[in-house]
Amino acid sequence: MKYSFYDDYSEGVAPELLDYIASNNTDQQRGYCTDDYCVLASERIRAAFDMHSADVHYLPNGTVANVVGLVSMLKAYEGVISVKSGHINTHEAGALEATGHKILWVDSQDGKLNPELIEKAYASYEDEHTVRPKVVYITQPSELGTLYSLDELRAVVDSARSKGMYIYMDGARLAMALASPLTDIRMKDYGCIGIDMFYIGGTKNGGLYGEAMVILNKDLKSDFRYHIKQRGALMAKSRFMGQQFARFFDEDDLYMRLAVNATSSATKLAQGLHGLGVEITENGTNQLFPVLHNDAITRLSEQYGFYIWEKISDTQSRIRLVTSWATSELAVDELLSDLTGILAEGE
Amino acid sequence: MKYSFYDDYSEGVAPELLDYIASNNTDQQRGYCTDDYCVLASERIRAAFDMHSADVHYLPNGTVANVVGLVSMLKAYEGVISVKSGHINTHEAGALEATGHKILWVDSQDGKLNPELIEKAYASYEDEHTVRPKVVYITQPSELGTLYSLDELRAVVDSARSKGMYIYMDGARLAMALASPLTDIRMKDYGCIGIDMFYIGGTKNGGLYGEAMVILNKDLKSDFRYHIKQRGALMAKSRFMGQQFARFFDEDDLYMRLAVNATSSATKLAQGLHGLGVEITENGTNQLFPVLHNDAITRLSEQYGFYIWEKISDTQSRIRLVTSWATSELAVDELLSDLTGILAEGE
Amino acid sequence: MKYSFYDDYSEGVAPELLDYIASNNTDQQRGYCTDDYCVLASERIRAAFDMHSADVHYLPNGTVANVVGLVSMLKAYEGVISVKSGHINTHEAGALEATGHKILWVDSQDGKLNPELIEKAYASYEDEHTVRPKVVYITQPSELGTLYSLDELRAVVDSARSKGMYIYMDGARLAMALASPLTDIRMKDYGCIGIDMFYIGGTKNGGLYGEAMVILNKDLKSDFRYHIKQRGALMAKSRFMGQQFARFFDEDDLYMRLAVNATSSATKLAQGLHGLGVEITENGTNQLFPVLHNDAITRLSEQYGFYIWEKISDTQSRIRLVTSWATSELAVDELLSDLTGILAEGE
Amino acid sequence: MKYSFYDDYSEGVAPELLDYIASNNTDQQRGYCTDDYCVLASERIRAAFDMHSADVHYLPNGTVANVVGLVSMLKAYEGVISVKSGHINTHEAGALEATGHKILWVDSQDGKLNPELIEKAYASYEDEHTVRPKVVYITQPSELGTLYSLDELRAVVDSARSKGMYIYMDGARLAMALASPLTDIRMKDYGCIGIDMFYIGGTKNGGLYGEAMVILNKDLKSDFRYHIKQRGALMAKSRFMGQQFARFFDEDDLYMRLAVNATSSATKLAQGLHGLGVEITENGTNQLFPVLHNDAITRLSEQYGFYIWEKISDTQSRIRLVTSWATSELAVDELLSDLTGILAEGE
C-alpha cells in the first residue's frame, strides 16, 4: 500500500513532541497529573484559549474522556442528548450506558445539533417515568466532518441553557476545526461562549496519546479527579501527557501548525478530486467523503487505504479519505495522479 | 530535594524505549492493538513466558487493566476475593464496584492470600441472597512488597480451582518479582501454573504507560476486546504500547535488566540501613519499609522524598522507600551517608 | 369524576383474589418464592400455557421484571433491540441503562417489530466498537395497543434466531392479547413458538401486584434467582403473589374472564364511538385511541378521566381510553350517552 | 412441623390490613403513590413520629428500599459505612454494589456502629484514589437483634455529621425496636435526632408487602421519585401499600400492637428458656439466640422450624428463634414444653 488515508491515528508521533519528551526525561516528577509539565501545559492551554479560570485535566483517550466528562455532569437518572451519529452513541461500545446513563438521540442530516433537534429530543421528558435530559453533547467538527459556526454554536448553547442543561463538547478533532477556513469560531471563543466542558484532542493531531479536558463551569470542578480515578483514567506517569500539551501550545504554535497540515492537505485533495469531476463536498476539515464508481474504488484500494462509507447506488459509493498532520504533498499528488489514470481507464 | 524514593513512577521513560519509538515512527499502522508492533510484542511475550497459546492485549494503566480483566470474568452477581490491602480494594476509588461487583475481602498480615483465607472469604457465600465468589485476585509482589513462592502460588490456585473460581494476578510490579532473589517463581512458571489471566506491568518498570494483559484460559478470550472498548481502554495509537513491550522483551532482556536495577538498588539500600542498625525486613522487591525515629524521619525528609507508612510508637514510624529502574548507586549512597549523619547527631 | 378511563391500574383488586388470600392466610410458609402457593401457581401456569418444562418466577412489577429478565440474557457489552415506543425505552426512567445496557431502538409506525426493522437495528453492529445486539424485546400487545399475529410473531422469532439473538416478550397486558378477537395467537402458542422468556402480567388484570416470569430457554434458567435478588425484586412474603396467580389460573379461568371484561368493554365502547361518527381504530385490546374535537375533549374531561395522547390538528386531538377487568357496562353506557350530548351541542 | 420460628415473614397478613383493603376496594385511584391512601398513610406516619415536614414514599421491599435510599444520597464515587453484619453487606446479593457503590465495612461484636468504628472505617479515605465515605448505614434493631439506646444513636449521628456524612437507618424491624422494653428511643425521637432518611418496615410486622421510606433531610427530597422509578420500585397500584400503612397507623395503634405481640412473645420465650437453664441473652426484640446441645437441636427441629446460627463447640450450637405479630401463646408454651421433655431425656 502506497499510503493510508484510513484515519488520523495511523501515523506515529509528531517528532517535536518526542524531542521534548526526550529532552525532559531525567528529572523526577510527582504523578497523577500533579507534575510540573501538566501544570505548565494547563497554563499554556488557558492562555491560548483565553480562559484564565478553567481547570484542565489529562486523560488517555477520547472515549474515556467522554465517559468521565459526561458522568461528572449527571445524576443517576439523567441522560445526554446527542445526534444519532455522535461518537458516544455509535462507536464507544455503550461505554456511557455502562455507567448507567441513557443517550437520548435524534437523527440529524448534517451530524450537528440545533435548537429544533434539541427541542425534539427534550420532548421525550415527562417526569420520573422518563430519563431527564441534562447534558447536550456536541462534537466539533462533527463525525460527518461538518462544522458549527459561531452563531450555530451560540444557538445550541442558548437552547441547552434555557432548559437547564449543560453543554459538553467532544473535541477529538478540535484541532482541525481550529485550522479550518470554514468556521468563524476562533480558539478564544470556545472559552467564553457558554460551553461547560470540552476536551482538546491530542491523539488525532500528532500526539502519542492523551486528551486535555477543560472545565469552564465552576460547579463541575470540585471532584473531577474522583471521576477520573474511578473510571480507570488517572495516569500515574502523567508527565508525558503534560509534556505533549506543553509542547503543543508552546510559542511556536505547534498544535495549529500540525492541524493546518491536515486541513490544507484535505483542501488540496478536495480541489484535485473536484478537478477530476468527482462529486465531493469540501467541509473544511480533514475528512473528505467523495463519491466514486465502485470499479474505481476497487482499483484505488489496491494502492491506498480508506473506508467505504456508504452505498450511493448499485454502481457508486461514498468513501472516506482522512488526512493528518503527517500527510505529505507527495501522498496527495500521487493519489490524484493514480486516480486520474483509473478514471481515464474507466471511461 | 536530592532524590525521590516516593514510588516507581516518578521517573521518566527508559531511554531504550524512547529510542525504539523514535526509530520506528514514520510508518503507518492500523490502530486499536492490531498494529505490527503489538503483534510483535505479543509474540515476544509469549516466547519469554513460554505460553504459546496465550492472548495478549495492551491497556493504558493498571487500574483499568484490573477493571477490564475482572469484569470479563464475572457475571453480574459475582464477586472477587482479595486481601484487604489489595490495590483494587484500597486505591482504585471503587473502580470495580463502579462496574457493579463486590469485593469480598479478608484481612491478611503479609498482604498475601492462602487457602485458609480463601476459605474464610468464600464462607460468606450461601445462595442467591449473597454475592457468589468467582475470582481470586492476587498481586505479585503484594502491596506490602511480599512475594508468593511457587508452592504458595500453587496452593492458592488449587484452592480457587477447587471452588470453581478463576485466578487473576495483578502484575503492576511483576518485573520486580521476576528480578527478586526471594521467590522461586520463574518467568516460565506464570504461564503454566493455572493462573487464568494476569498482566505484565510496563509503567512501573520504565515504560511511558501501558500494561500487557495475558489471557491463558481460553474460555475468557473470545470477547475481551469488547470489554476493553466498553471501559474506555482501547487505545487508538496502540503502536506505542506495542513498541514498548516489543523492546522490553527483545533479545537483550531489557525488561529484566531494568527490574534488576530496582531490586538490587533496594537490596543495597536495605543492607546499608541494616548496617546502620535500622529495623528493616528485606523482602526482595523494590519497596523497603524501615522503622526510624520520628526526628530522623523529619531530617531525612528535608532531602529525600518518601511516604510515612504507619505509626509504630509515639517516637517511631515506618517509612516506605521505593527504588526503580532509574535509581542510581549514587542516590543510594547519598541517602545512606546522610542518614548516617542524622542518626549520629540523634544520639 | 364519574369514571376514570386513565389506565388499567386505577382499580382495586379482583375480589376473587382477595377472597383466596383471606381464605389461605393462617398457615406458615417459606418465603422468597419457595412457598406452596408459588409452586401451585407455577404448575397451573405451565399447564395453562402447555409448557411443561418452563421455570416460573414472581416479581413485584413490570419494570423490574423487564430489568431482571433482560439483564439475565445479556453480557456487559450487549444490548437490546426495541421499537422506539417500547416501554423499556420510554417509560422506565432508564432502568435498563442503569444496569449498563444500551437499547438499540428503531422507529415503528404500529409499535411492533418485524424482520426489516430488526435488520435495520442490527445493522448498527460492527465489532467491538459498537454494542452487540443480543435480545429482541417485544410487547404483546404493543404500547400502541396493536397485536402480533402468529405469523408476525414467528417472523420476528426467526429473524432474531437467525442472528443469534434471544426473544424477550413483555406481557404486562398479555391478558388482553389472550382475550382479544384480533390475534390468532392462543395461550398454548406462547410456550412453543421460540420465545426465550416472557412475563404474564398480573397487576393490569386485577391483581394487587406481581408478574409471573416464564423462562423457556433452559440456558437462561440456572441463576435467575441471583438476578432477582440483586435487583431488589425477591419478595419475602411471596405467598401473596403465588396465591394471586394460583387463583388466576384455577379451573374457572379467572385470568381470562377478567381480561375478557376489559376487551369486550373496549369493543362495546369502540362500537359506540364509531356509531357516534368518531374516528377510531378498533385494535382488539383494552386501549382505544379515538380522535375528538378539542372542545368535546374539554367537556368530556369534566366527567371522565383519560389522557390526551397526541395533537392531530389545531382543533382535534387523539385521546386514550382504557378499559379494565372492572369496567362496568354502566360506565361505558354513561360515557357514550354523555358524549352523545356533548357532540350534539358542539354542532 | 408444629410451628415455624424461622423468621417474621412466614405468616400471612394481619387480618385488620386485609379487612381494610377489602373495605376500600371499589373506588378508582391514581397510581404510583399519588393515591389518596398513600396521602393518608403519610399524614398518619408524620403525626405518629411527630415529624411534620417529612416526605414519605412507599417501596415494595427492604432490599430495594435500601438501594433506592442509599443511591439517592451518593455521588458516583462515594460509599457507605456499615458493620460487617449489615444486611446490605451480607444478604442483598451485592445490590448496592450493582449500582456502583462500595460498602466500607468494619467488624462489630454487637452488630452496632459507634464513633470509634465509624472513625476506623472513615480512616481508609485519603483522596481521589480511595472511595469517599458519605453515608453511615445503621439498622435498628441490628441484624444481631441488639438495640441502639438514645445516647448511642446520638453519638453515631454526631460522629457522622462531624465528617459531613449522612445517616441512613434500615428499619426493616423498626416495629420491634419501638415495642422493645430495652431501648429508650421513642417513636417521636426518630424524627428529630438527626437521621437523614429511614424506612419503617411493613412486611415483617404483618404486612402483605411494602416499606415506608421517610426523608427528613430536605436536600434529599426533590428527585427521590426518579430514583424509585429507575430502580424498578415504583408500584403502579400503590393504593395497597397506602392502605396498609394508613391502617397500621390508625387510631388504634395497630402497628404497635402487632409489634408488641412479637416482642412479648420473645420475652416470654426467653424467660421460659432461661428457666430451663438454657444459655440465652434477652435482647428485647423478636430474635432470640439460645445455645443448645446439638442433640436437643436435632430433636427440636423435628417439630419446630428455626435456623442454626453458629457452632459454639463440638457439642453445642446457637440457634435463632424468631417470633412475630402472629405468634400465639400456645406456640410458645408448646415449644417450651417439648423442649423440657427433650432436655430431660438428654440428661
Side-chain angles (χ1 to χ4, degrees):
Chain A
M1 189 170 64
K2 281 186 179 173
Y3 198 77
S4 158
F5 289 90
Y6 274 118
D7 50 55
D8 29 22
Y9 46 84
S10 291
E11 311 285 341
V13 53
E16 295 89 340
L17 300 177
L18 213 50
D19 289 347
Y20 190 86
I21 290 172
S23 305
N24 293 278
N25 194 38
T26 55
D27 53 337
Q28 291 184 301
Q29 291 287 334
R30 288 295 185 115
Y32 301 117
C33 301
T34 64
D35 62 275
D36 297 342
Y37 300 105
C38 282
V39 171
L40 176 63
S42 300
E43 282 169 13
R44 289 180 176 174
I45 286 171
R46 277 190 288 266
F49 282 77
D50 199 22
M51 43 188 190
H52 299 284
S53 63
D55 276 9
V56 187
H57 300 269
Y58 300 91
L59 295 130
N61 64 56
T63 293
V64 86
N66 285 336
V67 164
V68 171
L70 292 169
V71 163
S72 78
M73 303 168 106
L74 295 168
K75 292 180 184 166
Y77 50 86
E78 293 177 336
V80 179
I81 290 176
S82 166
V83 293
K84 182 175 182 179
S85 55
H87 201 260
I88 56 168
N89 194 46
T90 56
H91 284 93
E92 299 191 354
L96 187 63
E97 288 88 352
T99 69
H101 300 286
K102 190 179 187 72
I103 300 172
L104 304 156
W105 59 261
V106 280
D107 219 337
S108 165
Q109 280 299 100
D110 63 1
K112 297 191 289 184
L113 280 175
N114 58 46
E116 290 69 38
L117 290 174
I118 292 172
E119 193 80 45
K120 186 180 168 193
Y122 194 86
S124 67
Y125 172 52
E126 298 167 9
D127 54 24
E128 66 270 9
H129 292 261
T130 58
V131 170
R132 184 154 80 188
K134 187 61 189 179
V135 181
V136 171
Y137 165 91
I138 58 172
T139 309
Q140 173 80 322
S142 79
E143 289 295 310
L144 307 188
T146 52
L147 288 158
Y148 288 89
S149 70
L150 193 51
D151 282 349
E152 288 172 338
L153 188 54
R154 279 200 181 111
V156 166
V157 168
D158 289 349
S159 170
R161 287 285 166 101
S162 73
K163 291 178 169 57
M165 293 190 289
Y166 296 118
I167 297 279
Y168 173 89
M169 187 175 80
D170 180 334
R173 292 192 177 94
L174 184 59
M176 289 61 161
L178 293 167
S180 173
L182 293 194
T183 175
D184 54 349
I185 314 184
R186 307 276 298 276
M187 202 178 272
K188 292 179 193 293
D189 294 321
Y190 290 106
C192 65
I193 202 172
I195 294 169
D196 296 284
M197 197 184 293
F198 70 99
Y199 80 83
I200 304 166
T203 305
K204 289 188 165 68
N205 196 32
L208 287 144
Y209 68 101
E211 322 288 308
M213 182 69 80
V214 176
I215 309 179
L216 290 155
N217 184 327
K218 67 177 166 40
D219 297 343
L220 300 169
K221 289 179 179 175
S222 61
D223 292 334
F224 198 75
R225 286 172 62 83
Y226 288 80
H227 289 289
I228 300 177
K229 180 64 194 174
Q230 192 186 30
R231 302 300 165 182
L234 192 57
M235 300 295 280
K237 293 169 85 166
S238 51
R239 60 189 291 156
F240 303 117
M241 296 194 295
Q243 288 170 344
Q244 288 178 74
F245 279 89
R247 185 65 191 85
F248 271 144
F249 291 97
D250 202 354
E251 288 182 354
D252 65 348
D253 284 333
L254 176 63
Y255 193 73
M256 287 306 297
R257 287 191 291 117
L258 293 166
V260 164
N261 188 78
T263 55
S264 63
S265 297
T267 300
K268 185 176 175 186
L269 186 51
Q271 288 167 351
L273 291 167
H274 191 258
L276 292 172
V278 173
E279 180 194 325
I280 183 158
T281 308
E282 195 180 339
N283 57 33
T285 70
N286 66 325
Q287 299 189 70
L288 298 174
F289 299 91
V291 176
L292 290 172
H293 195 282
N294 291 339
D295 295 341
I297 291 171
T298 303
R299 291 287 309 280
L300 196 64
S301 69
E302 289 160 9
Q303 294 181 293
Y304 298 92
F306 53 85
Y307 288 105
I308 295 174
W309 204 249
E310 59 176 341
K311 181 181 171 177
I312 296 295
S313 69
D314 284 349
T315 58
Q316 289 193 306
S317 299
R318 192 183 300 281
I319 65 169
R320 187 180 81 159
L321 298 172
V322 185
T323 58
S324 81
W325 65 277
T327 307
S328 65
E329 283 201 55
L330 184 62
V332 172
D333 289 341
E334 279 201 90
L335 180 140
L336 289 171
S337 165
D338 289 334
L339 184 60
T340 304
I342 290 167
L343 294 178
E345 285 177 38
E347 281 166 10
Chain B
M1 190 168 66
K2 282 186 179 173
Y3 197 77
S4 158
F5 289 91
Y6 274 118
D7 51 55
D8 29 23
Y9 46 84
S10 292
E11 312 285 342
V13 52
E16 294 89 342
L17 299 177
L18 213 51
D19 288 347
Y20 190 87
I21 290 172
S23 306
N24 293 279
N25 194 38
T26 56
D27 53 338
Q28 291 184 301
Q29 291 287 335
R30 287 295 185 114
Y32 301 116
C33 301
T34 64
D35 62 275
D36 297 342
Y37 300 105
C38 283
V39 171
L40 176 63
S42 300
E43 282 168 14
R44 289 181 175 173
I45 285 172
R46 277 189 288 265
F49 283 78
D50 200 21
M51 44 189 190
H52 299 283
S53 64
D55 275 9
V56 187
H57 300 270
Y58 300 91
L59 295 128
N61 63 56
T63 294
V64 87
N66 285 335
V67 164
V68 170
L70 292 170
V71 163
S72 79
M73 303 167 106
L74 295 167
K75 292 180 184 166
Y77 49 86
E78 293 176 336
V80 179
I81 290 176
S82 166
V83 293
K84 182 175 183 180
S85 55
H87 202 260
I88 57 168
N89 194 46
T90 58
H91 284 92
E92 299 191 353
L96 187 63
E97 288 88 353
T99 68
H101 299 286
K102 191 178 185 74
I103 300 171
L104 304 157
W105 58 262
V106 279
D107 219 337
S108 164
Q109 280 298 100
D110 62 2
K112 297 191 288 184
L113 279 176
N114 58 46
E116 290 70 36
L117 290 174
I118 292 172
E119 193 80 44
K120 185 179 170 193
Y122 195 87
S124 68
Y125 172 53
E126 297 167 7
D127 54 23
E128 65 271 8
H129 292 262
T130 58
V131 170
R132 184 155 78 189
K134 188 62 189 178
V135 181
V136 170
Y137 165 91
I138 58 172
T139 309
Q140 171 82 321
S142 80
E143 289 295 311
L144 307 188
T146 52
L147 288 158
Y148 288 89
S149 69
L150 193 50
D151 282 350
E152 287 173 338
L153 189 54
R154 279 201 182 111
V156 165
V157 167
D158 289 349
S159 169
R161 287 285 167 100
S162 73
K163 291 178 168 57
M165 293 190 287
Y166 295 119
I167 295 278
Y168 173 89
M169 188 175 79
D170 181 335
R173 291 192 178 95
L174 183 59
M176 288 63 159
L178 293 167
S180 174
L182 295 194
T183 175
D184 54 349
I185 313 185
R186 307 277 297 276
M187 201 178 272
K188 293 179 194 293
D189 294 321
Y190 289 106
C192 64
I193 201 171
I195 294 170
D196 296 286
M197 197 184 293
F198 70 99
Y199 80 84
I200 304 166
T203 305
K204 289 187 164 72
N205 196 32
L208 288 144
Y209 68 102
E211 323 288 309
M213 182 69 80
V214 176
I215 309 179
L216 291 155
N217 184 327
K218 68 179 165 39
D219 296 343
L220 301 169
K221 289 178 179 176
S222 62
D223 292 334
F224 199 75
R225 286 172 62 84
Y226 288 82
H227 290 289
I228 300 177
K229 179 64 194 174
Q230 191 186 32
R231 304 298 164 183
L234 191 57
M235 300 296 279
K237 293 168 85 167
S238 50
R239 60 189 290 153
F240 303 117
M241 296 194 296
Q243 288 170 343
Q244 289 177 74
F245 278 90
R247 185 65 190 84
F248 272 144
F249 291 97
D250 202 353
E251 289 182 353
D252 65 348
D253 285 332
L254 177 62
Y255 193 71
M256 287 306 297
R257 286 192 291 119
L258 293 166
V260 164
N261 190 77
T263 54
S264 63
S265 298
T267 299
K268 185 176 175 185
L269 186 51
Q271 288 168 350
L273 290 167
H274 191 259
L276 291 172
V278 173
E279 179 194 327
I280 184 159
T281 308
E282 196 180 338
N283 57 33
T285 70
N286 67 325
Q287 299 189 70
L288 298 174
F289 299 91
V291 176
L292 290 173
H293 195 281
N294 291 340
D295 294 340
I297 291 172
T298 304
R299 290 286 310 280
L300 196 65
S301 70
E302 290 160 10
Q303 293 181 294
Y304 298 92
F306 53 84
Y307 288 104
I308 296 174
W309 204 248
E310 59 174 341
K311 182 181 169 178
I312 295 295
S313 69
D314 284 350
T315 57
Q316 289 193 306
S317 299
R318 191 183 302 279
I319 66 170
R320 186 181 82 160
L321 298 173
V322 184
T323 57
S324 81
W325 66 278
T327 306
S328 64
E329 284 202 53
L330 184 62
V332 172
D333 290 340
E334 279 201 89
L335 181 139
L336 289 172
S337 165
D338 289 334
L339 184 61
T340 305
I342 289 168
L343 295 178
E345 284 177 38
E347 281 168 9
Chain C
M1 191 168 66
K2 282 186 180 172
Y3 197 76
S4 159
F5 290 90
Y6 274 118
D7 50 54
D8 29 22
Y9 44 84
S10 291
E11 312 286 342
V13 52
E16 295 88 342
L17 299 177
L18 213 51
D19 288 347
Y20 190 87
I21 290 173
S23 306
N24 294 279
N25 194 38
T26 54
D27 53 339
Q28 290 184 301
Q29 290 288 333
R30 287 294 185 116
Y32 301 117
C33 303
T34 64
D35 62 276
D36 297 341
Y37 301 104
C38 283
V39 171
L40 176 63
S42 300
E43 282 169 13
R44 290 180 175 175
I45 286 172
R46 277 189 288 265
F49 283 78
D50 199 22
M51 43 189 190
H52 298 284
S53 63
D55 275 9
V56 187
H57 300 269
Y58 299 92
L59 295 130
N61 63 56
T63 293
V64 86
N66 286 335
V67 164
V68 170
L70 292 169
V71 162
S72 79
M73 302 168 106
L74 295 167
K75 292 180 184 166
Y77 49 86
E78 293 177 335
V80 179
I81 290 177
S82 166
V83 293
K84 183 175 182 180
S85 55
H87 202 261
I88 57 168
N89 194 46
T90 57
H91 285 94
E92 299 190 354
L96 187 64
E97 289 88 352
T99 68
H101 299 287
K102 191 179 185 73
I103 300 170
L104 304 156
W105 59 262
V106 280
D107 219 337
S108 165
Q109 280 299 101
D110 62 1
K112 297 191 288 185
L113 279 175
N114 58 47
E116 291 68 38
L117 290 174
I118 291 171
E119 193 81 44
K120 186 179 168 191
Y122 195 86
S124 67
Y125 172 52
E126 298 167 9
D127 54 23
E128 65 270 10
H129 293 262
T130 58
V131 170
R132 184 156 76 189
K134 188 62 189 178
V135 181
V136 170
Y137 165 92
I138 58 171
T139 308
Q140 172 80 321
S142 80
E143 288 296 310
L144 307 187
T146 51
L147 288 158
Y148 289 90
S149 70
L150 192 52
D151 281 349
E152 287 172 339
L153 188 54
R154 279 201 181 111
V156 165
V157 168
D158 289 349
S159 170
R161 288 286 166 100
S162 74
K163 291 179 169 57
M165 294 190 288
Y166 296 119
I167 296 278
Y168 172 90
M169 188 175 79
D170 181 335
R173 291 192 178 94
L174 184 58
M176 289 62 160
L178 293 168
S180 174
L182 295 194
T183 175
D184 54 348
I185 314 185
R186 307 277 297 277
M187 201 177 273
K188 292 179 193 294
D189 294 320
Y190 289 106
C192 65
I193 200 171
I195 294 170
D196 296 285
M197 197 184 291
F198 71 99
Y199 79 83
I200 303 166
T203 305
K204 289 187 165 69
N205 196 32
L208 288 144
Y209 68 101
E211 323 288 308
M213 182 69 79
V214 176
I215 309 179
L216 290 155
N217 184 326
K218 68 179 165 38
D219 296 343
L220 300 168
K221 289 179 179 175
S222 62
D223 292 333
F224 198 75
R225 285 172 63 84
Y226 289 80
H227 289 290
I228 299 178
K229 179 64 193 174
Q230 192 187 32
R231 302 300 164 181
L234 192 57
M235 300 297 279
K237 292 168 86 167
S238 50
R239 61 189 289 154
F240 303 117
M241 296 193 296
Q243 288 169 344
Q244 289 177 74
F245 278 90
R247 184 66 191 82
F248 272 144
F249 291 98
D250 202 353
E251 289 182 353
D252 65 349
D253 283 332
L254 177 62
Y255 193 71
M256 288 307 298
R257 287 191 290 119
L258 294 167
V260 164
N261 189 77
T263 55
S264 63
S265 298
T267 299
K268 183 176 177 186
L269 186 51
Q271 287 168 351
L273 291 168
H274 191 259
L276 292 172
V278 174
E279 179 194 327
I280 183 157
T281 308
E282 196 179 340
N283 58 33
T285 69
N286 66 326
Q287 300 189 71
L288 297 174
F289 299 90
V291 176
L292 290 172
H293 195 283
N294 291 340
D295 294 341
I297 291 172
T298 303
R299 290 287 308 282
L300 196 65
S301 70
E302 289 160 10
Q303 293 182 293
Y304 298 92
F306 53 84
Y307 287 104
I308 297 174
W309 204 250
E310 60 175 339
K311 182 182 170 177
I312 295 296
S313 69
D314 284 350
T315 57
Q316 289 192 306
S317 300
R318 191 184 302 281
I319 66 170
R320 186 181 80 159
L321 298 172
V322 185
T323 57
S324 80
W325 64 277
T327 306
S328 64
E329 283 201 53
L330 183 64
V332 172
D333 289 341
E334 280 201 89
L335 181 139
L336 290 172
S337 165
D338 289 333
L339 185 60
T340 305
I342 290 168
L343 294 178
E345 285 176 38
E347 282 167 11
Chain D
M1 191 169 63
K2 282 187 180 173
Y3 198 76
S4 159
F5 290 91
Y6 273 119
D7 49 56
D8 29 22
Y9 45 85
S10 291
E11 312 285 342
V13 52
E16 295 89 341
L17 300 177
L18 213 51
D19 288 347
Y20 190 87
I21 290 173
S23 306
N24 293 278
N25 194 38
T26 56
D27 53 339
Q28 291 184 301
Q29 291 287 333
R30 287 294 185 114
Y32 301 116
C33 302
T34 64
D35 62 275
D36 297 341
Y37 300 105
C38 282
V39 171
L40 176 63
S42 300
E43 282 169 14
R44 289 180 176 173
I45 286 172
R46 276 189 289 265
F49 283 77
D50 199 22
M51 44 188 190
H52 299 284
S53 63
D55 276 9
V56 186
H57 300 270
Y58 300 91
L59 295 129
N61 64 55
T63 293
V64 87
N66 285 336
V67 164
V68 170
L70 292 169
V71 162
S72 80
M73 303 168 106
L74 295 167
K75 292 181 184 164
Y77 50 86
E78 293 176 336
V80 179
I81 290 176
S82 166
V83 293
K84 182 175 183 180
S85 55
H87 201 260
I88 56 168
N89 194 46
T90 56
H91 284 94
E92 299 191 353
L96 187 63
E97 289 88 352
T99 68
H101 300 286
K102 190 179 185 74
I103 299 171
L104 304 156
W105 59 262
V106 280
D107 219 337
S108 165
Q109 280 300 100
D110 63 2
K112 297 191 288 183
L113 279 175
N114 59 45
E116 291 67 38
L117 290 174
I118 292 172
E119 193 80 44
K120 186 179 169 192
Y122 195 86
S124 69
Y125 172 52
E126 297 168 8
D127 54 24
E128 65 271 9
H129 292 262
T130 58
V131 170
R132 184 155 78 188
K134 187 62 189 178
V135 181
V136 170
Y137 165 92
I138 58 172
T139 308
Q140 172 80 324
S142 79
E143 289 295 310
L144 306 188
T146 52
L147 287 158
Y148 288 90
S149 70
L150 192 52
D151 281 350
E152 287 173 338
L153 187 54
R154 279 201 181 110
V156 166
V157 168
D158 289 350
S159 169
R161 288 284 166 100
S162 73
K163 291 179 168 57
M165 293 190 288
Y166 295 118
I167 296 279
Y168 173 90
M169 188 174 80
D170 181 334
R173 292 193 177 94
L174 184 58
M176 288 63 160
L178 292 168
S180 173
L182 295 193
T183 174
D184 54 349
I185 313 185
R186 308 276 297 276
M187 202 178 270
K188 292 177 194 293
D189 294 320
Y190 289 106
C192 65
I193 201 172
I195 294 170
D196 295 286
M197 197 184 292
F198 71 98
Y199 79 83
I200 303 166
T203 305
K204 289 186 164 70
N205 195 33
L208 287 144
Y209 69 102
E211 323 288 309
M213 181 69 79
V214 176
I215 309 180
L216 292 155
N217 184 327
K218 68 177 165 38
D219 297 344
L220 301 169
K221 290 179 180 176
S222 62
D223 292 334
F224 198 76
R225 285 172 62 83
Y226 288 79
H227 290 289
I228 300 177
K229 179 64 194 174
Q230 192 186 32
R231 302 299 165 182
L234 193 56
M235 299 297 279
K237 292 169 86 166
S238 49
R239 61 189 291 154
F240 304 117
M241 295 193 296
Q243 287 169 344
Q244 289 177 74
F245 279 90
R247 184 66 191 84
F248 272 144
F249 291 98
D250 201 353
E251 289 182 353
D252 65 348
D253 285 332
L254 176 63
Y255 193 72
M256 287 307 298
R257 286 191 291 119
L258 293 166
V260 164
N261 189 77
T263 55
S264 63
S265 297
T267 299
K268 184 175 177 186
L269 186 52
Q271 288 167 352
L273 291 167
H274 190 258
L276 292 172
V278 173
E279 179 195 326
I280 184 159
T281 307
E282 196 180 340
N283 58 33
T285 69
N286 66 324
Q287 298 189 70
L288 297 175
F289 298 91
V291 176
L292 290 171
H293 194 283
N294 291 340
D295 294 341
I297 291 172
T298 303
R299 291 287 308 279
L300 196 63
S301 69
E302 290 160 10
Q303 294 181 293
Y304 298 92
F306 53 84
Y307 287 105
I308 296 174
W309 204 248
E310 59 175 341
K311 180 182 172 178
I312 295 296
S313 69
D314 284 350
T315 56
Q316 290 193 306
S317 299
R318 190 184 301 281
I319 65 170
R320 187 181 81 159
L321 298 173
V322 185
T323 57
S324 81
W325 66 277
T327 306
S328 65
E329 283 201 55
L330 183 64
V332 172
D333 289 341
E334 280 200 90
L335 180 138
L336 289 172
S337 165
D338 288 334
L339 184 60
T340 304
I342 289 168
L343 293 178
E345 286 177 38
E347 282 168 9

